[in-house]
Amino acid sequence: MLKRIITAGLVLALTLSVAACGSDTTLAADQARMPASSADFKDEEYQDVVKSLQEVGFAHVETKALGDLISGWLNSPGSVKEVEINSVASFEQGEVFQRDVTIVVSYHSFPDDAEEPSESAPPHEEPSASPDAAEEVLTVENSPDLAAFLALTDNCSAANAEFATKYKDRTIAFDGNISAMQNHGSYKTRYDFLIAPGDYSETTITGPSFQFRDVDPTLDLNLTGSNGSDTIGVGDNLQITAQVDSFDSTPCQFILEPVSTEFR
């Protein structure tokens, strides 16, 4: 994904916007003005975004490495996915906030670089990650629980909910396939994908029923590799990396949030 704004351009734009907006109103001592919009920050280097926020006076800027990259082809390591202000990820340039609001800068990284949100660092200093912050991606090789879970024959058993509770928000990786898909509601470009473990079969589906719910294949799946065409659909075998969300007991589907997918 191409950057909309190169780093040097962003720094210049931030400097000009702060100067221009500063002449409109006088800020209180405990306020600061947002130097760019949420859309402008996306895909920029996270260190530059942190620095720009601190320079205009925001006191609590945290960083969060997502550990969502497999190859780094579609998103660059260190590039910003989103900036949240008090858990809200949409704002405009020039908006005024309290200096002590909590701002979290989430950025793309490889799994080994994942971290918990950092504490605010002094201006011009790089936030340091906790040495215990990174969590290993669960696979059938390193997690007996995941191996046993993928081998379940009853996708409505209590083991589904137990696994979802125990490993909520953890990242798992496994070989899977698209066994079904449909448009999400009335959307034309957003879909619900039914994912089954192992290779695709027209006659047999074994193991838990996973679902990617309400996703845009071009934006949310972080798809790599090739299946010989420009599309993704039923029958495609994939390497799935996803975050555990929850178990929906009504359709007996295990909800996952996609991190990355790769054609096998």
Side-chain angles (χ1 to χ4, degrees):
M1 183 182 295
L2 296 176
K3 290 187 177 181
R4 290 187 293 272
I5 303 173
I6 63 173
T7 300
L10 175 63
V11 173
L12 177 60
L14 299 184
T15 303
L16 293 176
S17 65
V18 171
C21 293
S23 61
D24 295 338
T25 59
T26 301
L27 298 180
D30 60 348
Q31 293 180 325
R33 196 186 305 276
M34 188 54 56
S37 69
S38 52
D40 289 337
F41 281 141
K42 187 176 181 181
D43 295 331
E44 294 302 323
E45 293 296 325
Y46 81 94
Q47 297 98 328
D48 296 323
V49 172
V50 170
K51 180 179 178 181
S52 68
L53 291 167
Q54 291 175 333
E55 285 182 338
V56 298
F58 290 106
H60 298 295
V61 183
E62 303 175 358
T63 60
K64 181 180 181 182
L66 298 174
D68 58 347
L69 298 181
I70 300 300
S71 64
W73 293 348
L74 299 180
N75 294 295
S76 299
S79 63
V80 172
K81 179 179 181 180
E82 66 179 10
V83 176
E84 295 178 286
I85 304 175
N86 285 346
S87 300
V88 176
S90 179
F91 51 86
E92 297 299 326
Q93 178 181 340
E95 282 193 59
V96 176
F97 299 88
Q98 297 298 113
R99 287 177 180 267
D100 61 355
V101 293
T102 298
I103 300 177
V104 178
V105 179
S106 299
Y107 62 92
H108 301 288
S109 69
F110 292 102
D112 288 346
D113 298 326
E115 62 178 18
E116 296 296 329
S118 68
E119 295 297 329
S120 298
H124 312 300
E125 291 186 11
E126 190 71 20
S128 59
S130 166
D132 301 324
E135 285 189 327
E136 185 177 23
V137 175
L138 301 179
T139 67
V140 294
E141 287 79 18
N142 64 27
S143 173
D145 282 358
L146 178 60
F149 178 61
L150 293 175
L152 288 176
T153 56
D154 181 2
N155 62 6
C156 290
S157 72
N160 289 269
E162 292 171 1
F163 188 91
T165 300
K166 182 175 181 179
Y167 291 105
K168 181 173 175 58
D169 296 330
R170 289 292 301 273
T171 300
I172 63 175
F174 62 95
D175 287 345
N177 67 85
I178 300 176
S179 59
M181 63 180 290
Q182 64 180 16
N183 290 93
H184 182 76
S186 60
Y187 289 100
K188 302 299 183 183
T189 59
R190 302 192 68 83
Y191 297 86
D192 297 331
F193 289 89
L194 191 63
I195 307 294
D199 294 337
Y200 177 75
S201 170
E202 292 184 353
T203 58
T204 305
I205 298 177
T206 59
S209 294
F210 297 103
Q211 188 185 54
F212 289 159
R213 184 174 293 177
D214 187 17
V215 297
D216 183 324
T218 61
L219 298 177
D220 300 325
L221 294 184
N222 289 323
L223 186 64
T224 59
S226 174
N227 66 344
S229 71
D230 295 329
T231 61
I232 182 173
V234 174
D236 284 330
N237 292 319
L238 305 169
Q239 170 68 22
I240 305 290
T241 303
Q243 188 176 59
V244 174
D245 187 322
S246 60
F247 177 64
D248 189 340
S249 60
T250 301
C252 294
Q253 290 176 348
F254 198 95
I255 310 303
L256 298 177
E257 292 295 330
V259 173
S260 68
T261 52
E262 183 178 1
F263 287 114
R264 297 189 283 118

